[in-house]
Amino acid sequence: MWRSKDILEGPEWANVRALYKSSGFSGEELTKPLIAVVNSYNTVCPGHVVLKQLTQRVKEGIYAAGGTPVEFGTIGACDGVAMSHKGMQYILPTREMIADDIEAMTEAHRLDGLVILGSCDKIVPGMILGALRVNLPTVFINGGPTLPGRMKENNPYGGEYIDHSIIQQSEGALKSGKISMKEFEWIENNAVPTIGSCAMLGTANTMCCLAEVMGLSFPGSATIPAVYSRRQSIAFESGMAVMDLVRKDIRIKDIITKQAVTNAIKVNSAIGGSTNAVLHLLAIAYEAQIDLDIFEFGRISMSVPHLVPMIPAGQFTLLDFHEAGGIPVMMKELETVLDLDGITCTGHTSRENIMEYRNKDSDVIRSLDRPVHTRGGIAVLRGNIAPDGAVTKPSAIPEQALWFRGPAKIYESEHEALLGIRASQVGEGDVVVIRNEGPKGGPGMQEMYKVMKVLVGMELGSKVCVITDGRFSGSNNGCFVGHICPEAFDDGPIAYIQDGDIITVDVLGGTIHADADFNQRRAVRRKEAEPASGYLYQYRKNVASASQGAYIATRQE
């Protein structure tokens, strides 16, 4: 018995049936399970333009399998558009807004299952968080990555493809005279040739891949390009699949288990996924009531080497990864270290789902005995600067910068840091400290994306280290450490670093340390944070530390 029957059967619920009928639903349709089709379609975010077509195919699949689809939308903001201005303060907070939307709509209308459609950075985890709160049968489908641009000559990644992230990197190259304005304009016009999420392994594609690893989407579906017809048929099959889950009463918390999240951490390390996956998987673990902390995350991650050289940690794109076999092949290469016996949205186990897949390009998807780097894709550091942890990405850090020591150069915001870097205030050997950008301090935990891209474009990516209580984009490379906790707003040690303090970052050793006595400095009153208003006021007031996933509590502990 599905729960929408509780408000659709009998004379006492005629008013509800009448409201549905006024929208054009028939009496027959209202005798079937009502399945929410939730999408973040808009024409602002290029990763979401395709969702209108996909939604229609999902609804057709639901009808074909004996259900009745009911559609509603949620927001979907684009990190690329919001980058490096006030808009970025809202990007991470939208994750909880999306979760709230799904919880409220699904519970208010007593819906029976969910197909969630999204593509980009905070939308995917936000939808998963919302689905976990209502714990119904759930299938996820993403809109797919864009096709990459092609640039065979002077390609900074070393291959023939480029993606959106090259544009900001090229700003630094333009500033330092390494390319002309004409070359820069060509890159702008050719880096992103189609709709879809960005072609590199940023947070968007990372989270779509990890949703597939956890069993929420069809095998092989995460990497299908947005413009490929196969994505439309996967949408239809996803609509059919949710009905099978409803009949079998397989709910999202049956799929997202500790083993599934652990698998996601391991695959994220192997593919060189985004540092933002730490925030999102910790938040997912919280909502699923799974015991996981940031240091366990770090230990799990560093136990698996980096196996896929995808941009920004190599020359390949999501298209290359897809053509090599995508996530199913990656999981097959890791089958000795994964738990593949958990149930998935197909009604089968992960082991059954990947059985028929074969690696079509062992240079793109390496085996455990032939890694790109023996180190893991994500590392969690600890030290007197970050007693509650900090996050970095060893797979995207040049060998010579895995151990870095230098004097601090302090900036109180990302904006201030960009002004300083563009004014040539930062030189080789410096450790750039950007603070007051944590979840509370920002508020919103902005990405230091552009800071790193400009430094890399100026050929300082391995010669300068950037550390911050903010975060980074999945497309960043160079020497960087983010998520420093406690953040400055919470009186963390980063608030008391001074210009010239010697800072040591030891990525493989797992430490970040300053030659300073922070207890002594706490006697000096530090700068107060700028006041927040609107939703950001509520976010600052309620958000948890980045070391916990920057979630907003949804239950009493």
Side-chain angles (χ1 to χ4, degrees), residues 64-100:
T68 298
V70 290
E71 178 186 349
F72 65 88
T74 185
I75 60 172
C78 178
D79 287 49
V81 175
M83 197 67 67
S84 299
H85 58 81
K86 182 177 175 59
M88 181 50 71
Q89 289 183 279
Y90 287 87
I91 292 296
L92 182 58
T94 64
R95 188 186 71 181
E96 271 58 34
M97 296 168 76
I98 292 165
D100 291 346

Side-chain angles (χ1 to χ4, degrees), residues 155-159 161-163 165-166 169 311-312 314-315 453 477:
N155 188 317
Y157 301 125
Y161 291 128
I162 56 174
D163 73 290
S165 70
I166 195 177
Q169 188 168 320
I311 295 171
Q315 71 188 64
K453 286 297 178 184
N477 60 323

Side-chain angles (χ1 to χ4, degrees), residues 482-517:
H483 306 211
I484 288 176
C485 292
E487 61 173 290
F489 186 90
D490 281 337
D491 206 40
I494 191 172
Y496 300 98
I497 299 174
Q498 297 176 358
D499 279 316
D501 283 349
I502 301 301
I503 294 174
T504 304
V505 175
D506 184 353
V507 173
L508 299 185
T511 61
I512 179 168
H513 181 85
D515 295 346
D517 183 348

